Amino acid sequence: MDFMENMKNVVADTAQTVAKKTGELIESSKIKYAIFDLKTDIKKLFSQIGETYYKNQKNGVQEEETLQELCDLIEAKYAKIEALTAKLEDVKNEAKCPTCGRICDAELNYCPFCGAEMAVKVEPDVVVAEVKTDADAADADTTIVDVEIKTETEEKNSGAEE
């Protein structure tokens, strides 16, 4: 009877592990797709900048505001990509080496590639990242990502200040 109980426990643990890994894979795939969408949007914006600049030069018009708006959109999309990349590293339990920039296991104290000490990772209390792609938004200009990250220390400090 003891053998059967052990076997049931092993099967249950394996099933839980498989379910967890499947969830991580799905989550990382969604994030990678959102990053791909953002990079595609950035390419389109670069094209729009070139077209706008050409038309401005051809017509002798100096519309710096339009170009600046497009540049601001690109910067916002790059910030979203950075936030999503950080979220992807968390999902995959990976971290970027502060010295060589290579991706390592987040559990490591030292980088296996260059030997540098990995940064101490402080887990955030709240991480909210909402991504709306062109498929979700009617217009690329309305794409929004809100990211709020608070560490336990910041949360305690904000509570103490109030």
Side-chain angles (χ1 to χ4, degrees):
M1 194 68 122
D2 207 21
F3 174 74
M4 292 305 282
E5 278 297 316
N6 286 341
M7 190 59 131
K8 282 171 44 177
N9 289 338
V10 168
V11 170
D13 289 344
T14 303
Q16 287 177 348
T17 302
V18 168
K20 180 181 175 188
K21 291 294 181 183
T22 302
E24 289 173 2
L25 181 62
I26 290 170
E27 184 68 20
S28 67
S29 295
K30 286 179 183 178
I31 293 170
K32 286 179 183 180
Y33 182 74
I35 290 172
F36 176 80
D37 272 354
L38 289 168
K39 287 181 178 180
T40 302
D41 290 348
I42 288 170
K43 286 179 184 178
K44 289 177 185 176
L45 288 169
F46 278 131
S47 179
Q48 280 182 303
I49 287 173
E51 186 177 333
T52 302
Y53 180 80
Y54 173 76
K55 286 179 181 178
N56 287 347
Q57 290 298 318
K58 185 176 179 182
N59 297 328
V61 179
Q62 296 294 329
E63 286 189 39
E64 293 294 322
E65 290 177 15
T66 305
L67 292 174
Q68 186 60 48
E69 288 173 8
L70 292 171
C71 290
D72 291 343
L73 283 171
I74 290 172
E75 286 301 314
K77 289 184 184 288
Y78 277 132
K80 294 171 201 172
I81 289 173
E82 190 173 316
L84 287 171
T85 302
K87 185 176 178 183
L88 183 61
E89 288 176 359
D90 286 343
V91 168
K92 290 179 147 187
N93 198 25
E94 295 176 338
K96 186 183 283 188
C97 173
T99 304
C100 70
R102 294 177 83 174
I103 302 296
C104 307
D105 187 350
E107 306 284 322
L108 298 175
N109 292 326
Y110 296 94
C111 175
F113 302 104
C114 69
E117 188 172 1
M118 298 294 285
V120 176
K121 193 172 188 180
V122 178
E123 293 296 323
D125 287 336
V126 178
V127 176
V128 177
E130 178 184 338
V131 178
K132 294 182 181 175
T133 62
D134 287 339
D136 298 331
D139 188 76
D141 295 345
T142 61
T143 304
I144 299 170
V145 170
D146 296 322
V147 178
E148 177 185 340
I149 300 175
K150 291 185 180 179
T151 62
E152 290 179 22
T153 307
E154 291 171 335
E155 188 68 31
K156 289 176 185 174
N157 290 343
S158 67
E161 292 173 2
E162 294 175 356

